[in-house]
Amino acid sequence: MADVQNQIGLIMQLRRRGIRDPNVLRAMERIPRELFVDEAFSEHAYQDIALPIECGQTISQPFVVAYMTEKLDLKPNHKVLEIGTGSGYQSAILSQLCRRVYTIERWRELQKAAEARLAELKIANVTTIIGDGWLGWPPQAPFDRIIVTAAAVDAPAALLDQLKDGGRMIIPLGETRDSQSLVQIDKTPEGLAETPLLSVRFVPLVHGRVKRD
Ligand code: SAH
């Protein structure tokens, strides 16, 4: 069971840090983060910190999840692509605010665990995919929104191609882990418009083989 007091504390903290969109706050309130972290870290589930998950990856800090979600400016009819499913927490939040989420993870173990958590929460509008996020998901393209939850040096070309005209991508970009900034990329009639948002620390968007074992 979600710890209601802790959950309320987290929402207050998000408000203090400037998250204003009531729909985003409601989604954060509805999804119990403790279901997405290892039992060993349950007592920290409602603190505003990133936590380790399996396969050497991390579940993002709640503020960053809320902030990225707010910046996506989701509409109920949107089809969204997420790269880096990890625990599935960000996917669960997105699922509350749009029509359909496709989420890609390179580790089978993480994809399976995320799928099970989403099923437990009876979330039916998220499709989890094991694959290489650099390639996006052509069968369902184009997407209204794309969110990348691992850092690259440049936005992957395939993802930019799979973004609708008028669409938006939120992605951490940076040469090193200490120099990443979250960037909003809008596909406008005049071309791609990049807006740097804030500095962040994400695990890298890895090139190469999917991990099936
Ligand atoms: N959104 C996640 C945070 C995930 S951390 C959450 O809410 O928990 C970033 C994830 O990106 C990791 O699970 C990592 O395995 C995955 N990742 C890294 N490179 C990838 C790639 N090329 N394709 C798909 N997933 C990738």
Side-chain angles (χ1 to χ4, degrees), residues 4 7 16 20 24 27 36-37 39 66 88 93 97 102 116 130 133 137 154 164 166 168 178 193 205 209:
V4 175
Q7 185 83 342
R16 268 201 302 278
R20 289 279 172 265
V24 173
F36 294 83
V37 305
E39 249 175 65
I93 300 293
L97 300 163
Y102 294 87
I130 178 155
W137 192 242
D154 295 304
K164 267 191 195 166
R168 175 175 293 179
D178 296 318
L205 185 65
R209 271 190 333 118

Side-chain angles (χ1 to χ4, degrees), residues 7-27:
Q7 185 83 342
I8 291 170
L10 175 63
I11 301 304
M12 283 169 60
Q13 199 161 333
L14 295 176
R15 279 181 193 281
R16 268 201 302 278
R17 291 204 60 183
I19 304 298
R20 289 279 172 265
D21 185 330
N23 294 327
V24 173
L25 290 166
R26 210 171 301 127

Side-chain angles (χ1 to χ4, degrees), residues 55-68:
C55 309
Q57 307 302 317
T58 53
I59 174 170
S60 310
Q61 182 191 347
F63 169 71
V64 173
V65 171
Y67 183 85
M68 289 174 89

Side-chain angles (χ1 to χ4, degrees), residues 53 57-60 82-90 104-107 110 131-134 149-150 203-206:
I53 56 173
Q57 307 302 317
T58 53
I59 174 170
S60 310
E82 179 193 22
I83 309 300
T85 313
S87 67
Y89 180 61
Q90 174 77 72
I104 308 181
E105 172 57 55
R106 69 187 283 270
W107 289 89
L110 292 175
D132 180 1
W134 285 92
T149 67
V203 297
L205 185 65
V206 176

